[in-house]
Amino acid sequence: VTADFRRATEPAFDIDGWLAGFSPGAWTRIQLYRDGDRLPLGATFVNLSTGQFRVVDVPRGSYTLRVAQYRADPPKWFAAEAQVVVSAEPIRNLLVELSAGVDIPVSVSYEAGAQSSGLFQLMLQPQHTRSNARHLLIGKAPKPRGLPEGAPEAASEPSQATAFTDVIPDQYRLAVQPMGNGGDYVAAAKLGDRDVLHGEFPITGGAELELHVTIRCDSASVEGKVTFRGEPAAGAIVYLVPATGAVGGLKLAPCDSEGSYRIQDVAPGDYRIQAWSGPPSAADILSSSGEKLTLQPGEHRTQSMEAAPGGGQWKQGGGLLE
């Protein structure tokens, strides 16, 4: 294929400056992100002896400069963010001050019959510095079954962790994973006054906010029968996808030999439901296909449907290929 085109060039500029609070010799990374982007751009350099840095060949635009430094003795993360606008000239002597990661205390309230006997894993997922995810268990682990009389039950002790520690500045998502809670779900999560259960949110250096989590025990369920070309769709998979498209809240269930399925412990809200007779592709799952339904607290919905043929394929050893 041959394509002829003409694209006008435009000037690019350098950004240079200094890192304040810099620890010489420590691992340091500088990245520049155009507003809204996930991937950094521009070549970045830092002098590990002096803390002087440079970013070269930056086009006009609005950016976030992110710096992360890890100090091994004692183990501690430091980070900083600076908003920069590149317009008609280089940016010189920009001072970026590193600060320690923040600790975010976590409190929990229980409503609608929920008890602290359930266990949840919370994860703060940074969108740029992905290696800096933070994990926390809240509640109590279920008591193990079948223990001999007198055996210790350490697994049922409540989690001692009450805070996310050393959280560095970034855009975050909060992921919630129930661990055998039997109907409990996280109904709300607020960082200060901000809803952080749905969508991204920023955490900045020096933030002093508490994460409050509300757990309820009035989850919904969906069951029904699935057919494919007029026959029971044995082995089909039913996907229940949040209307927001958040894959972390996706639930699925296989159909038995009669085409019956059941999905339990569903948080109330808006969803799409769709069944596939074969493995669906990622595009299938994230498309707008399927029926819409709104589940109320404690609702038990019957929803039957016709399965669609899957558009994906399984790779050797398991897992889905697009």
Side-chain angles (χ1 to χ4, degrees):
V1 174
T2 300
D4 296 326
F5 66 94
R6 179 175 297 174
R7 172 66 175 159
T9 59
E10 62 179 71
F13 304 94
D14 291 356
I15 302 171
D16 63 49
W18 301 84
L19 300 178
F22 176 81
S23 182
W27 178 92
T28 306
R29 181 175 62 191
I30 296 180
Q31 295 174 303
L32 186 72
Y33 293 87
R34 190 187 295 272
D35 286 355
D37 281 1
R38 284 287 182 269
L39 298 176
L41 56 79
T44 61
F45 306 90
V46 61
N47 186 319
L48 293 182
S49 298
T50 65
Q52 186 178 12
F53 69 87
R54 172 169 289 180
V55 186
V56 300
D57 297 336
V58 181
R60 295 187 182 97
S62 178
Y63 301 90
T64 299
L65 182 70
R66 300 180 186 275
V67 185
Q69 184 177 74
Y70 180 74
R71 305 176 189 179
D73 189 18
K76 187 70 174 176
W77 282 94
F78 287 75
E81 286 184 320
Q83 305 300 317
V84 294
V85 177
V86 177
S87 54
E89 60 184 15
I91 297 177
R92 303 295 187 197
N93 298 316
L94 178 66
L95 185 64
V96 179
E97 185 169 356
L98 292 166
S99 60
V102 298
D103 294 343
I104 301 177
V106 178
S107 61
V108 185
S109 61
Y110 297 88
E111 300 178 358
Q115 303 291 329
S116 60
S117 56
L119 187 66
F120 286 85
Q121 177 177 257
L122 306 181
M123 182 166 66
L124 281 177
Q125 299 175 317
Q127 299 303 290
H128 298 98
T129 52
R130 292 186 177 269
S131 61
N132 290 92
R134 294 291 181 265
H135 302 259
L136 183 67
L137 291 177
I138 60 173
K140 297 179 183 179
K143 291 185 178 181
R145 298 179 179 179
L147 285 178
E149 186 175 351
E153 296 185 358
S156 64
E157 290 298 314
S159 169
Q160 299 300 311
T162 58
F164 288 108
T165 59
D166 206 10
V167 180
I168 68 172
D170 205 331
Q171 288 285 124
Y172 284 84
R173 284 184 178 270
L174 178 68
V176 179
Q177 179 64 47
M179 304 179 71
N181 290 13
D184 289 359
Y185 66 96
V186 172
K190 287 193 173 183
L191 186 63
D193 294 329
R194 182 170 190 151
D195 172 26
V196 295
L197 189 58
H198 310 96
E200 295 181 10
F201 55 94
I203 293 178
T204 58
E208 295 183 2
L209 296 172
E210 178 184 83
L211 175 65
H212 183 77
V213 176
T214 301
I215 296 175
R216 295 176 61 92
C217 192
D218 54 356
S219 58
S221 64
V222 186
E223 63 181 331
K225 289 185 175 293
V226 178
T227 56
F228 182 63
R229 296 173 180 170
E231 299 293 332
I237 304 294
V238 179
Y239 286 76
L240 188 67
V241 185
T244 60
V247 178
L250 180 147
K251 286 182 175 288
L252 54 88
C255 295
D256 62 18
S257 59
E258 301 297 323
S260 299
Y261 75 93
R262 181 176 176 83
I263 303 176
Q264 303 183 82
D265 303 336
V266 181
D270 296 325
Y271 294 89
R272 290 184 295 104
I273 190 168
Q274 175 70 65
W276 281 276
S277 62
S281 67
D284 288 335
I285 297 171
L286 297 176
S287 70
S288 58
S289 64
E291 299 183 48
K292 297 179 180 179
L293 68 160
T294 299
L295 297 175
Q296 303 297 331
E299 181 179 3
H300 302 286
R301 176 76 66 89
T302 299
Q303 190 84 21
S304 297
M305 69 199 79
E306 175 76 7
Q313 57 181 318
W314 297 109
K315 63 182 179 181
Q316 186 175 3
L320 184 65
L321 289 176
E322 298 203 17

